[in-house]
Amino acid sequence: MTVVLVHGNPETEAIWDLLSERLAARGRTDQVRLSPPGFGAPVPDGWTATVDEYRDWLVAELEKIGEPVDLVGHDWGGGHVLNVAMSRPDLLHSWCSDVIGIYDPDYVWHDLAQVWQTPGEGEEAIEARLAIPVEELAGGLVDLGMDPGVARRVAPGFDAEMGRCILALYRSAAQPVLRELGARLPDAAARPGLALTATEDHFVGTDEQRRRAAARAGARVGVLDGLGHWWMAQDPDRGAAVLTEFWDSL
């Protein structure tokens, strides 16, 4: 069974390096990393970087694989995973997302997301980030819990194209869009799901919101106590253990 890993913002596939090694050591050697357009992958002509467009992109990539996969998504990658689970469960053997709480009706976008969603302010924020030296960007990721080696590989991926996609994606997902998408969470129960909850990740909803959304999606909850947003690059051994335990139970 192929494991497919999909990352988010502001990342490249290097975010998975450590977790991928640990999964391979546990026997999951058949792995594919899919980089969303603009996030470490080229942007096709006419790309508008909306929630629906990323869902359709992921559907097309999974169709190329040609058999159901164990799909794992982080950050916006976790959003794309859920959007596929709710619309094309036939492509999946199982799914895992660490952002299920954002589909709860009471979820409020975090402060930086709201800046990106605001015309003018979002562009200024992206320009300011583009002006920061790569070494400082990497240092900021380390301060937020990312492994230093991974941070040095991820940070150079932030460029003007990624910035454009960030703004378009977050604006296409401004409320009530997520709330309306979340109404379909029960459809994700068509395949086994795992809602990963890193307790120190404060971008993706409260514990109550995550558990409530997981219940509606028929998903198990995997708790990563004390880990933050980049759990896979903070404690990859624990992340791999939770994932393989879930897969082994299927």
Side-chain angles (χ1 to χ4, degrees), residues 12 31 40 54 78-79 106 132 149 158-159 172-173 180 190 202 232 235-236:
T12 66
Q31 301 178 28
Y54 278 106
D106 293 337
I132 299 174
F158 185 81
D159 58 14
S172 76
E180 293 168 351
H202 303 298
M232 74 297 295
D235 192 340

Side-chain angles (χ1 to χ4, degrees), residues 21-102:
E21 292 173 1
R22 301 325 195 266
L23 291 176
R26 289 172 171 267
R28 299 305 300 260
T29 56
D30 187 1
Q31 301 178 28
V32 173
R33 303 187 202 183
L34 295 178
S35 297
F39 296 88
V43 173
D45 291 341
W47 185 256
T48 58
T50 63
V51 173
D52 289 346
E53 200 164 27
Y54 278 106
R55 177 203 60 209
D56 294 344
W57 159 80
L58 183 52
V59 165
E61 292 298 316
L62 295 176
E63 287 177 336
K64 292 176 187 177
I65 294 174
E67 61 182 10
V69 303
D70 289 320
L71 184 61
V72 180
H74 162 63
D75 188 82
W76 257 116
H80 307 329
V81 163
L82 281 163
N83 290 337
V84 170
M86 292 187 287
S87 60
R88 288 292 307 275
D90 58 295
L91 298 171
L92 309 179
H93 175 247
S94 72
W95 58 266
C96 172
S97 172
D98 60 6
V99 299
I100 199 165
I102 70 175

Side-chain angles (χ1 to χ4, degrees), residues 146-164:
M146 191 181 294
D147 173 83
V150 173
R152 286 193 293 271
R153 293 190 288 276
V154 168
F158 185 81
D159 58 14
E161 195 64 78
M162 184 183 288
R164 183 185 74 81

